């Protein structure tokens, strides 16, 4: 079953609107410079269409808003926690739930619980906050994703897969006892939102368990991944997203999850696992870093909204529309000859900045330049996913030059309509026609951690 290329009407009605500010190009040039040409440092009120991220930028349903009124704000034992726990078990199937304020809180708990300094943590491509927590705990990230993931034009339907040979080679090289766990992201953000197949998840789990290694799912967009399995992998076309999701998790030992993506909420996350001892350790630490184990940094109302959003997102038609919006924008860009990562990702469209601006080398931050030019040109905010995001080698201090130097047009859930994506597409196409005029950037301020959030640049 193939994904449709036809536009899909929104499976909801709009009952409240938020006005946006209309600005001039001269104004945007001024504020972009003031923000150090970093789209993270722009004020949101100065943005016309905001595709910076799909994290926490979603529109909640009336069912979620109604649940907000049922917030039990008791310090201990909130009824909303138990509803969230039941929803997590129904959708994901893990035995233990530890709530956190967002996904990186869960990454911190898992990293501190499982990593001993000097151990290796293989994964199917790094993600910024995940790798940062692993390295802060003394771990060494090793990329074991399939080679196709680093090729923007390879159309393999499951470019997020773990390369089993790379994983096995690492085990032989360093010994299973020196591997803390393997992280499997579903979908793989920095590869362009690429999914992992069920067959690969199962094989990865079997190989890991053979050597006594835990599999930790980065389940932030697991429901999108489940939908891709439904439409791309033989034997799953008649299964529901919820059924597929639970089967995915059965091949793993635990998960970290940001509730700010698939669950349509603005805050929240969790760590989950099946191991009793691991759960005890994480509950002990969550009290130190987040809050009591029955709220973990969230208000009761936020736990209620997250649980309700979790149940909503397991509905097939919700995920079908989610993917259709990304497909619509991506196909408009493909038709105009814009170089984007293929296949089109679930949570956004990734522009190949090196092909878009071939005259700007990576050491001049190609994708960062493109993201800023798009904002100045049309008021569309996007984000760099390339050299700036990759950061530096923790041992040598040298900048990492990833093969994928992209600009991500992330799509918030239930926020924008087809007309907005028409505007975005035309803006990108206009910019491409005048690409020879673009200039690179130099970094003038670099923070110690996760530099892409706060770094500042100047035009060359």
């Amino acid at each position: 079953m193939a994904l449709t290329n036809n536009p899909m009407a929104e499976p909801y009605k709009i009952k409240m609107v938020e006005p946006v500010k209309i600005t001039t190009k001269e104004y945007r040039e001024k504020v972009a410079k003031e923000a150090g040409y970093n789209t993270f440092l722009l004020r949101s009120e100065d943005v016309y269409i905001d595709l910076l991220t799909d994290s926490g930028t979603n529109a909640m349903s009336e069912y979620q808003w109604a649940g907000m009124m049922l917030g039990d704000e008791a310090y201990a034992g909130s009824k909303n926690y138990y509803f969230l726990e039941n929803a997590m078990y129904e959708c994901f199937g893990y035995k233990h739930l530890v709530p956190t304020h967002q996904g990186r809180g869960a990454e911190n708990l898992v990293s501190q619980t499982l990593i001993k300094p000097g151990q290796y943590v293989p994964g199917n491509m790094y993600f910024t906050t995940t790798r940062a927590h692993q390295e802060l705990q003394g771990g060494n990230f090793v990329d074991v994703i399939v080679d196709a993931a680093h090729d923007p034009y390879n159309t393999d339907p499951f470019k997020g897969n773990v390369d089993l040979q790379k994983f096995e080679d690492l085990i032989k090289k360093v010994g299973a006892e020196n591997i803390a766990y393997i992280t499997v992201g579903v979908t793989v953000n920095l590869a362009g939102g690429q999914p992992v197949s069920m067959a690969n998840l199962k094989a990865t789990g079997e190989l890991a368990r053979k050597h006594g290694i835990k599999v930790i799912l980065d389940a932030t967009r697991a429901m999108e991944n489940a939908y891709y399995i439904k439409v791309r992998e033989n034997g799953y076309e008649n299964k529901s997203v919820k059924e597929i999701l639970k089967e995915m998790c059965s091949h793993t030992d635990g998960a970290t999850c940001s509730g700010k993506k698939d669950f349509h909420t603005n805050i929240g996350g969790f760590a989950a696992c099946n191991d009793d001892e691991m759960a005890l350790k994480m509950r002990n630490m969550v009290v130190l870093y987040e809050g009591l184990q029955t709220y973990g940094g969230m208000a009761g109302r936020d736990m209620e909204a997250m649980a309700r959003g979790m149940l909503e997102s397991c509905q097939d038609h919700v995920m079908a529309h989610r993917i259709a919006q990304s497909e619509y924008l991506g196909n408009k860009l493909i038709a105009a000859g814009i170089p984007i990562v293929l296949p089109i990702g679930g949570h956004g469209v990734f522009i190949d900045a090196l092909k878009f601006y071939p005259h700007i080398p990576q050491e001049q931050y190609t994708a960062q330049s493109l993201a800023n030019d798009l904002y100045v040109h049309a008021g569309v905010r996007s984000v760099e996913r390339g050299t700036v995001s990759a950061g530096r080698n923790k041992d040598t201090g040298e900048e990492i030059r990833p093969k994928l130097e992209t600009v991500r047009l992330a799509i918030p859930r239930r926020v924008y309509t087809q007309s907005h994506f028409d505007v975005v597409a035309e803006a990108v196409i206009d910019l491409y026609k005048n690409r020879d005029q673009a200039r690179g950037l130099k970094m003038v301020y670099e923070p110690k951690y996760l530099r892409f959030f706060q770094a500042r640049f100047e035009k060359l």
Side-chain angles (χ1 to χ4, degrees):
M1 180 179 178
L3 292 175
T4 178
N5 289 328
N6 297 321
M8 179 180 177
E10 288 75 14
Y12 48 81
K13 295 186 294 184
I14 298 168
K15 66 168 62 176
M16 185 176 73
V17 297
E18 176 186 348
V20 294
K21 179 178 173 182
I22 307 299
T23 60
T24 64
K25 186 174 182 179
E26 291 72 26
Y27 178 83
R28 294 191 297 271
E29 286 176 338
K30 172 179 173 291
V31 297
K33 184 177 181 179
E34 290 172 351
Y37 299 103
N38 186 339
T39 54
F40 276 105
L41 300 180
L42 292 167
R43 295 189 180 193
S44 66
E45 65 179 355
D46 291 330
V47 176
Y48 177 44
I49 298 176
D50 200 344
L51 306 185
L52 180 78
T53 180
D54 63 319
S55 178
T57 56
N58 310 293
M60 293 199 299
S61 68
E62 61 181 3
Y63 179 57
Q64 289 178 286
W65 279 109
M68 295 280 278
M69 298 299 103
L70 301 176
D72 175 6
E73 306 308 339
Y75 187 86
S78 166
K79 67 180 181 181
N80 308 117
Y81 165 79
Y82 296 103
F83 180 47
L84 175 61
E85 184 181 53
N86 290 336
M88 185 281 296
Y89 183 76
E90 180 180 335
C91 296
F92 292 87
Y94 295 112
K95 183 178 178 182
H96 300 289
L97 170 75
V98 183
T100 60
H101 75 286
Q102 61 182 61
R104 69 195 61 174
E107 291 167 346
N108 177 43
L109 295 182
V110 169
S111 296
Q112 293 216 37
T113 300
L114 297 182
I115 299 174
K116 296 176 183 177
Q119 284 187 315
Y120 295 85
V121 189
N124 58 339
M125 196 173 283
Y126 82 97
F127 184 65
T128 51
T129 59
T130 313
R131 190 184 69 187
H133 283 296
Q134 291 167 350
E135 291 181 347
L136 283 170
Q137 193 57 27
N140 300 290
F141 172 78
V142 180
D143 189 359
V144 293
I145 201 167
V146 293
D147 290 340
H150 297 284
D151 177 359
Y153 305 108
N154 186 306
T155 56
D156 187 310
F158 291 105
K159 284 167 65 173
N161 281 352
V162 171
D163 187 315
L164 298 172
Q165 190 61 57
K166 290 181 184 177
F167 183 25
E168 190 165 23
D169 287 346
L170 179 66
I171 296 170
K172 291 177 180 177
K173 179 181 178 181
V174 305
E177 70 278 5
N178 292 314
I179 295 178
Y181 57 91
I182 180 171
T183 301
V184 182
V186 289
T187 56
V188 182
N189 188 343
L190 297 185
Q194 303 302 319
V196 178
S197 72
M198 187 72 78
N200 185 256
L201 263 175
K202 182 179 179 181
T204 300
E206 289 173 347
L207 178 57
R209 286 166 184 165
K210 176 183 174 183
H211 294 279
I213 299 169
K214 280 184 165 58
V215 179
I216 301 299
L217 200 68
D218 179 348
T220 292
R221 298 179 182 86
M223 290 162 180
E224 289 181 15
N225 200 106
Y227 183 78
Y228 276 124
I229 289 173
K230 178 179 176 66
V231 299
R232 291 182 181 178
E233 193 164 357
N234 291 335
Y236 289 93
E237 58 273 8
N238 295 321
K239 290 193 174 186
S240 69
V241 166
K242 183 186 286 188
E243 289 172 321
I244 295 169
L245 175 62
K246 208 160 186 178
E247 184 179 337
M248 287 166 56
C249 296
S250 73
H251 300 304
T252 71
D253 300 285
T256 60
C257 188
S258 168
K260 298 165 65 177
K261 281 81 170 177
D262 279 352
F263 308 157
H264 300 108
T265 49
N266 308 123
I267 200 67
F270 66 80
C273 66
N274 294 319
D275 183 88
D276 295 346
E277 184 179 353
M278 180 179 173
L280 281 173
K281 289 180 178 179
M282 290 197 298
R283 285 179 177 136
N284 185 253
M285 283 192 297
V286 78
V287 177
L288 181 63
Y289 289 102
E290 303 275 332
L292 201 67
Q293 68 270 14
T294 52
Y295 73 89
M298 282 187 285
R301 56 184 174 268
D302 294 318
M303 289 192 285
E304 185 73 20
M306 192 165 86
R308 292 183 177 216
M310 189 184 298
L311 296 169
E312 284 184 333
S313 290
C314 279
Q315 300 173 69
D316 291 5
H317 73 278
V318 172
M319 279 298 127
H321 175 259
R322 168 68 178 154
I323 302 303
Q325 282 200 321
S326 185
E327 290 273 314
Y328 178 80
L329 175 58
N331 283 326
K332 284 188 76 74
L333 296 182
I334 290 170
I338 305 298
I340 67 169
V341 174
L342 302 174
I344 299 166
H347 68 289
V349 176
F350 289 66
I351 301 171
D352 182 354
L354 294 177
K355 282 285 182 69
F356 199 103
Y357 283 166
H359 61 291
I360 300 179
Q362 278 185 289
E363 55 266 29
Q364 294 180 13
Y365 308 113
T366 322
Q368 191 77 25
S369 300
L370 175 53
N372 277 280
D373 290 347
L374 181 58
Y375 169 71
V376 170
H377 180 67
V380 175
R381 177 157 68 168
S382 57
V383 68
E384 179 269 3
R385 281 297 179 234
T387 302
V388 181
S389 294
R392 296 182 181 274
N393 183 294
K394 73 182 185 71
D395 297 319
T396 67
E398 294 181 357
E399 279 197 317
I400 299 168
R401 304 263 193 261
K403 292 182 180 178
L404 293 179
E405 180 82 16
T406 65
V407 168
R408 185 186 69 185
L409 305 170
I411 299 177
R413 295 157 186 81
R414 303 190 295 206
V415 172
Y416 294 116
T417 66
Q418 186 173 308
S419 297
H420 289 101
F421 298 120
D422 289 338
V423 170
V424 172
E426 289 305 313
V428 173
I429 293 165
D430 284 347
L431 202 60
Y432 191 60
K433 291 175 182 176
N434 299 294
R435 58 191 179 278
D436 293 341
Q437 300 174 20
R439 290 179 291 154
L441 299 168
K442 67 175 180 179
M443 191 181 296
V444 294
Y445 168 68
E446 180 178 1
K448 185 175 181 180
Y449 301 115
L450 300 173
R451 66 183 190 172
F452 61 93
F453 282 129
Q454 300 177 68
R456 301 184 73 88
F457 304 84
E458 289 179 356
K459 284 275 188 182
L460 290 171

